[in-house]
Amino acid sequence: MYEGWEVLTLRGLAATDERAEEFTGFLVIHRIGSPEPVESVPVRIKRSVLTELHEGLGRLLARSIGFKRKS
């Protein structure tokens, strides 16, 4: 059986200073179809990963129908 997860949010992402190369926070997820409560998983994310996500998600949203770019 396929187990899928729904990503709800990335909460409390923070760093010690503006030059930080690593950020900490909580990935809030829920198992699809499960009556179990939401899980909050502590995560550490490197700046390079956040940059890659920013670029990739930006391209995805720009191509999607529901996204309207502000002028």
Side-chain angles (χ1 to χ4, degrees):
M1 181 173 133
Y2 172 75
E3 289 187 17
W5 291 88
E6 178 181 16
V7 175
L8 302 176
T9 191
L10 185 57
R11 183 179 294 149
L13 199 59
T16 55
D17 64 47
E18 67 274 2
R19 297 177 309 268
E21 289 298 318
E22 189 171 273
F23 300 82
T24 59
F26 293 89
L27 182 62
V28 182
I29 58 176
H30 181 262
R31 190 182 306 267
I32 294 173
S34 173
E36 296 296 318
V38 169
E39 294 187 39
S40 186
V41 181
V43 294
R44 286 189 334 208
I45 303 175
K46 296 201 179 290
R47 177 179 294 279
S48 60
V49 173
L50 289 176
T51 300
E52 187 177 319
L53 282 170
H54 178 265
E55 292 168 359
L57 291 173
R59 285 191 303 269
L60 176 65
L61 288 173
R63 290 191 313 262
S64 74
I65 294 171
F67 183 72
K68 295 192 178 171
R69 188 167 268 177
K70 293 181 181 179
S71 302

